[in-house]
Amino acid sequence: TEKPTALIMIFGATGDLANRKLFPSLFNLFEKGKLDKFAVVGVARRTLSNEEFQRKVKESVKENGETGADIDEFVSKFYYHSHDVTDSSSYLALGKLAEELDNHYGLNGNRIFYLAMAPEFFGTIAEHLKKDKLTDVSGFKRLVIEKPFGHDLESAKVLNKQIRKAFSEDEIYRIDHYLGKEMVQNIEVIRFANAMFEPLWNNRYISNIQVTSSETLGVEERGRYYEKSGALRDMVQNHMLQMVSLLAMEPPIKLTTDEIRSEKVRVFRALRPVKGEEVTEYFVRGQYDKGVMNETDVPAYRQEEMVDSESNTETYVAGKLMIDNFRWAGVPFYIRTGKRMMAKSTKIVIQFKDIPMNLYYQPEKTVNPNLLVIHIQPEEGITLHLNAKKSGQGTEATPVKLNYANKGIEGLNTPEAYEKILYDSLRGDATNFTHWDEVALSWSFVDNISAVWESTKEPSFPNYASGSMGPDAADKLLEKDGFFWWPIT
Ligand code: BG6
């Protein structure tokens, strides 16, 4: 494949994301020789000289443990523009700089606009880029945009309309960084490259699927944003539903962006809406209380900075999703995600149905169902839980696990999600980004639940201790159906 050439403009270049993820990822791409000609313009409000900005980039790359000798050459391609997002003259100056860099580096008029900043400015920036002619380019132009993409369906529509004035749908790369994770990308391969899974991947053989993404961190310094968001908007609308769509989609006829997206969209269309009174039957919300983690006392959510002392915001969600199509009718997809939980872990457990009759004595349970566990993070791999004969005399069955660890086998660290996402946006591959239809459908699913949660105060909050696995009600959600959460640690 051809190496990409582009001018990359990062809006929000002094922010946390740029520092922690974007600069180190770009450096890795540069070091691996994956970039052809490029230059970067850091765009942010504060005044900085190019040299000061370059020093920051260098620090951020070094802090990430990168020590490549080429670091000075890398940062020499970084420029800084002090910007006022609402002022046309500021965009005109940025446009002039962009043109100079384009000529100087021979970037073929290709431009990436990466919005890594407060979402309230996304729309304004897109409109100005068009009006002030930064999008009049001779090469490609692409908008790479961080979450949140709106706060609900209505605001997402408004935002989408604004950015669509300047960019067409194929020029918009909406980031869901879970789609850049190695093992999330592996879901499709595990399903569609193995004769032994795809034939069983349906309601005849699968009893339920459990997707867990637990975090140990609390809300940290993001109280202001999180109070208005909560776990449902922050994690479920995007990352959790994206994983569900990859698990549930039909095999695409080809591995093209459009074919994969259209299969994912069909899953969202088949997702059964949960509304009104059903919300309490299908969904559980939690909020963390104080607790002890790593032998340190941690405060309750309501005691965090910028958080209301009577906050009704959820920091945990568990839910049961039903996908009403031929493949999945009757199979619950259970999801759960929360902050300040026992472990940092993202895992998918596919539980197969029990065999028709159990011939073998198993001491603990009557039957150990087969499980396929996909470990997304921190470990990356898959485990298949089977039953085998216990060695020795007799016919006792015992559970055995077949393990595949990604890292162990390849002997290499898998590239960070952001490195892959950046590279894809530079190459023009939008497969691992979310199409507008996916965003809209997942908001409409989530909006029904928020509507109920926002209008009723949850009297049990806080309802789980920091360092636990969430509220008891989440266990009951599965018990009602005769299931339980498989442990994730
Ligand atoms: C982000 C959320 O999208 O995902 C954060 O806004 C959350 O609240 C993060 O902590 C989790 O990502 P990861 O990659 O650490 O699982």
Side-chain angles (χ1 to χ4, degrees), residues 147 177-178 181 215 222 234-235 239 339 344 377:
K147 68 174 275 255
H177 78 282
Y178 268 55
K181 291 187 193 284
E215 297 187 76
R222 294 160 77 218
D234 188 49
M235 293 289 292
H239 312 318
K339 295 207 180 280
K344 170 82 181 164
Q377 62 187 18

Side-chain angles (χ1 to χ4, degrees), residues 74-290:
F74 174 72
V75 300
S76 73
K77 297 167 191 290
F78 281 67
Y79 297 79
Y80 186 78
H81 172 75
S82 160
H83 191 61
D84 176 348
V85 286
T86 57
D87 178 10
S88 272
S89 64
S90 193
Y91 288 88
L92 293 174
L94 177 59
K96 205 164 152 266
L97 173 62
E99 237 171 82
E100 284 165 17
L101 294 175
D102 186 34
N103 290 331
H104 180 73
Y105 287 95
L107 304 177
N108 306 338
N110 293 334
R111 284 184 193 170
I112 303 261
F113 303 92
Y114 195 124
L115 307 190
M117 55 180 307
E120 57 261 38
F121 298 118
F122 289 170
T124 314
I125 294 172
E127 286 180 337
H128 270 286
L129 292 177
K130 163 103 181 160
K131 181 166 143 256
D132 300 321
K133 305 208 161 37
L134 274 96
T135 52
D136 287 359
V137 291
S138 51
F140 64 66
K141 62 177 199 294
R142 294 183 191 136
L143 181 74
V144 182
I145 185 166
E146 280 291 337
K147 68 174 275 255
F149 198 89
H151 173 77
D152 53 17
L153 180 58
E154 273 322 301
S155 56
K157 276 186 182 161
V158 171
L159 171 59
N160 203 49
K161 225 173 162 175
Q162 285 174 310
I163 65 177
R164 285 296 302 273
K165 283 186 198 154
F167 298 90
S168 66
E169 178 63 31
D170 350 325
E171 293 171 329
I172 302 170
Y173 290 68
R174 295 181 197 79
I175 292 187
D176 183 313
H177 78 282
Y178 268 55
L179 298 180
K181 291 187 193 284
E182 186 64 28
M183 289 307 293
V184 172
Q185 297 187 352
N186 217 332
I187 294 172
E188 274 173 71
V189 185
I190 293 165
R191 286 188 56 193
F192 303 135
N194 291 299
M196 60 182 295
F197 292 132
E198 193 45 33
L200 306 184
W201 211 264
N202 56 50
N203 54 9
R204 270 165 296 174
Y205 301 102
I206 289 179
S207 94
N208 73 91
I209 293 184
Q210 303 178 6
V211 184
T212 300
S213 192
S214 63
E215 297 187 76
T216 50
L217 288 181
V219 68
E220 311 302 297
E221 55 312 304
R222 294 160 77 218
R224 190 206 305 266
Y225 151 77
Y226 202 83
E227 272 287 270
K228 294 205 205 80
S229 156
L232 187 67
R233 293 189 167 96
D234 188 49
M235 293 289 292
V236 176
Q237 181 268 337
N238 37 68
H239 312 318
M240 302 303 285
L241 290 182
Q242 283 293 323
M243 287 190 281
V244 168
S245 74
L246 291 168
L247 288 162
M249 71 189 232
E250 295 300 312
I253 56 173
K254 273 191 264 154
L255 283 183
T256 59
T257 305
D258 287 347
E259 293 300 342
I260 293 172
R261 281 175 160 183
S262 86
E263 293 307 338
K264 285 169 68 190
V265 167
R266 282 152 57 88
V267 174
F268 289 116
R269 284 167 50 203
L271 197 57
R272 187 188 302 170
V274 176
K275 299 189 194 169
E277 283 169 7
E278 290 159 356
V279 170
T280 31
E281 195 185 319
Y282 285 81
F283 274 81
V284 170
R285 53 178 157 164
Q287 187 191 72
Y288 63 81
D289 202 346
K290 63 182 175 1

